[in-house]
């Protein structure tokens, strides 16, 4: 088996992409750099990596394996009440963490931070449980769309205000399995239908 498949192997999914912005190789290189930083910074602190399902799964899986110190991992899942409430950062916890986080060093791992409203809500929720520390690691950051200022310690790539899919990021549930990240063709992407 080849280590990675070429974009064209993803037939129907690849047909929906107008431009590949980050190849699987470019993502892997950057993820390894992030893992090296995390390993150095958290050496001796046994951090708990926390991710939000489902989008973070590919990034978390790859990041974990570039971290060379002992870590634990846990996930939560959220649901937006509606598109409208999501715009205001109102989300409901569908699945909470399994671990107790009091006095733990948390590294919150995200695929994408856009307005920051979702993350802000989740950080408030987690801070109330009194972890020893919380830092954020995101693969993609649309920093120009931020509505709330959040400290991001580890960032993979900055993105323009464009909707992207692949490597966990979806459009209506699809495209998560692409190993690269690209722009959707405008005839497929309807901004009000995310
Ligand atoms: P926000 O920071 O509260 O605005 O929401 C961030 C979430 O919106 C991310 O975790 C993604 O699930 C989703 N999201 C934002 N931009 C994109 C994109 O370009 N593609 C796919 N999902 C996105
Ligand atoms: Mg997400």
């Amino acid at each position: 088996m080849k280590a990675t498949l070429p974009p064209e192997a993803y037939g129907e999914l690849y047909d929906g992409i107008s431009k590949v912005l980050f190849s699987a190789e470019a993502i892997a290189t950057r993820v390894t750099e992030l893992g090296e930083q995390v390993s150095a910074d958290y050496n001796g602190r046994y951090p708990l990596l926390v991710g939000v399902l489902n989008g973070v799964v590919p990034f978390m899986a790859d990041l974990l394996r570039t971290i060379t110190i002992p870590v634990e991992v846990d996930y939560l899942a959220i649901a937006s009440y509606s598109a409208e409430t999501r715009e205001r950062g109102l989300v409901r916890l569908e699945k909470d963490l399994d671990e107790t986080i009091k006095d733990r060093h948390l590294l919150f791992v995200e695929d994408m931070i856009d307005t920051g409203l979702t993350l802000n809500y989740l950080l408030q929720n987690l801070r109330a449980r009194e972890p020893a520390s919380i830092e954020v690691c995101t693969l993609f950051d649309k920093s120009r769309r931020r509505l709330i200022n959040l400290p991001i310690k580890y960032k993979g790539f900055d993105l323009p205000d464009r909707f992207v899919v692949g490597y966990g990021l979806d459009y209506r549930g699809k495209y998560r399995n692409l190993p690269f990240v690209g722009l959707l063709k405008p005839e497929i992407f309807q901004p009000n239908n995310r």
Side-chain angles (χ1 to χ4, degrees):
M1 202 175 109
K2 297 194 192 80
T4 53
L5 300 171
E8 305 77 47
Y10 293 81
E12 179 195 326
L13 293 171
Y14 183 56
D15 284 346
I17 304 296
S18 61
K19 190 175 179 208
V20 175
L21 296 182
F22 302 96
S23 67
E25 293 74 22
I27 293 170
T29 301
R30 189 70 188 115
V31 171
T32 302
E33 289 168 358
L34 292 174
E36 283 170 353
Q37 283 179 38
V38 169
S39 305
D41 293 353
Y42 282 91
N43 194 10
R45 284 199 288 164
Y46 196 34
L48 176 65
L49 276 57
V50 169
V52 182
L53 297 171
N54 292 315
V56 82
V57 166
F59 176 43
M60 183 71 92
D62 288 343
L63 180 69
L64 273 174
R65 286 171 293 172
T66 66
I67 295 176
T68 51
I69 58 165
V71 298
E72 283 187 86
V73 63
D74 202 354
Y75 295 96
L76 46 84
I78 55 174
S80 305
Y81 291 100
S82 65
E84 200 181 311
T85 54
R86 184 181 55 196
E87 303 281 298
R88 288 184 278 129
L90 277 179
V91 294
R92 161 169 63 88
L93 275 185
E94 285 262 292
K95 179 211 167 297
D96 203 349
L97 298 173
D98 295 329
E99 301 294 325
T100 307
I101 62 172
K102 188 165 163 41
D103 302 328
R104 294 293 308 263
H105 292 286
L106 294 198
L107 181 60
F108 197 92
V109 180
E110 263 281 29
D111 46 353
M112 165 80 73
I113 302 172
D114 184 20
T115 62
L117 291 172
T118 312
L119 179 63
N120 183 57
Y121 169 87
L122 292 172
L123 289 179
Q124 281 180 18
N125 180 304
L126 296 175
R127 275 196 201 104
R129 307 182 203 185
E130 303 179 343
S133 66
I134 308 189
E135 299 290 356
V136 177
C137 173
T138 189
L139 182 58
F140 295 109
D141 183 10
K142 291 186 190 170
S143 56
R144 273 163 278 182
R145 289 201 11 113
R146 195 77 84 256
L147 296 177
I148 294 177
N149 190 33
L150 297 167
I152 315 283
K153 179 130 188 206
Y154 308 94
K155 183 202 286 205
F157 301 101
D158 214 72
L159 275 185
D161 182 10
R162 300 290 298 276
F163 193 81
V164 297
V165 293
Y167 200 68
L169 295 162
D170 73 303
Y171 176 60
R172 306 173 89 186
K174 263 172 79 175
Y175 301 96
R176 292 193 199 276
N177 54 318
L178 292 175
F180 55 85
V181 166
L183 296 175
L184 271 185
K185 288 183 179 164
E187 59 264 39
I188 292 176
F189 178 63
Q190 290 156 349
N192 296 327
N193 256 334
R194 312 182 180 185

